[in-house]
Amino acid sequence: DRLMIKRAVSALMPMVRTLPISPATLNKGDFIPRKDYDTDFVSQGRLQVPQGCVLLYEEDDLREGGLNGYGVEAFNALRELLMWQGLNVDYKYFMHECEMDCPIIVTTMKEKLLLGKGVDALIPLESDEGLEWDYS
């Protein structure tokens, strides 16, 4: 269960951000930081987190196809973050890569991870219905 994984990780780590990944969320265009020249402000992207924050990606709703330009850009940014710990900032006329330092956990009920290239370990989890957890 994803909620149990989030609770367990949250009990161990001071900062955790959960990101459900689906074509709809990827297509929103808010995954990477972008410069708005009208306001002279860089908007924060969903992948932009403080150093040491654990990113918990939920990949169950991700499927092939159905991505617009922003969706493809976000998918590639996720892969880049997984493989190289880098995040691009879109300055409209150029991209600036920033180094990141964030552990990433990808959860899925599928047998094949779409974002799984570059992961350090794959750990299959099984649920034990009779086991009760105390998160206090």
Side-chain angles (χ1 to χ4, degrees), residues 91-108:
Y91 282 92
K92 190 174 183 178
Y93 305 108
F94 65 95
M95 299 293 263
H96 175 72
E97 185 176 355
C98 298
E99 290 184 19
M100 301 282 289
D101 181 16
C102 57
I104 300 170
I105 298 172
V106 180
T107 64
T108 185

Side-chain angles (χ1 to χ4, degrees), residues 13-18 49-56 101-104:
M13 304 299 292
M15 294 179 288
V16 177
R17 175 178 281 178
T18 304
V49 296
Q51 180 177 347
C53 179
V54 175
L55 289 174
L56 184 59
D101 181 16
C102 57
I104 300 170

Side-chain angles (χ1 to χ4, degrees), residues 41-60:
F41 183 74
V42 177
S43 63
Q44 181 178 358
R46 296 177 79 185
L47 298 178
Q48 188 178 359
V49 296
Q51 180 177 347
C53 179
V54 175
L55 289 174
L56 184 59
Y57 295 143
E58 298 172 353
E59 196 183 76
D60 288 331

Side-chain angles (χ1 to χ4, degrees), residues 4-5 7-8 126-136:
M4 289 182 8
I5 292 171
R7 285 181 179 168
E126 292 183 20
S127 176
D128 185 350
E129 296 293 328
L131 186 61
E132 291 190 27
W133 294 85
D134 180 14
Y135 294 105
S136 56

Side-chain angles (χ1 to χ4, degrees), residues 3-124:
L3 182 58
M4 289 182 8
I5 292 171
K6 182 179 183 204
R7 285 181 179 168
V9 173
S10 296
L12 297 171
M13 304 299 292
M15 294 179 288
V16 177
R17 175 178 281 178
T18 304
L19 289 175
I21 306 298
S22 69
T25 59
L26 291 173
N27 287 338
K28 287 183 181 177
D30 60 353
F31 271 74
I32 67 170
R34 296 182 192 285
K35 172 78 174 199
D36 181 346
Y37 285 94
D38 293 333
T39 61
D40 201 30
F41 183 74
V42 177
S43 63
Q44 181 178 358
R46 296 177 79 185
L47 298 178
Q48 188 178 359
V49 296
Q51 180 177 347
C53 179
V54 175
L55 289 174
L56 184 59
Y57 295 143
E58 298 172 353
E59 196 183 76
D60 288 331
D61 296 328
L62 189 59
R63 61 187 182 286
E64 293 183 20
L67 297 180
N68 63 20
Y70 286 130
V72 171
E73 179 183 67
F75 183 84
N76 289 333
L78 283 166
R79 262 200 332 219
E80 186 86 9
L81 190 58
L82 272 167
M83 294 175 68
W84 309 111
Q85 288 286 300
L87 179 64
N88 284 324
V89 178
D90 184 357
Y91 282 92
K92 190 174 183 178
Y93 305 108
F94 65 95
M95 299 293 263
H96 175 72
E97 185 176 355
C98 298
E99 290 184 19
M100 301 282 289
D101 181 16
C102 57
I104 300 170
I105 298 172
V106 180
T107 64
T108 185
M109 298 299 287
K110 300 176 185 178
E111 289 192 25
K112 180 182 176 192
L113 292 172
L114 291 177
L115 287 169
K117 294 179 178 129
V119 296
D120 294 323
L122 294 174
I123 304 169

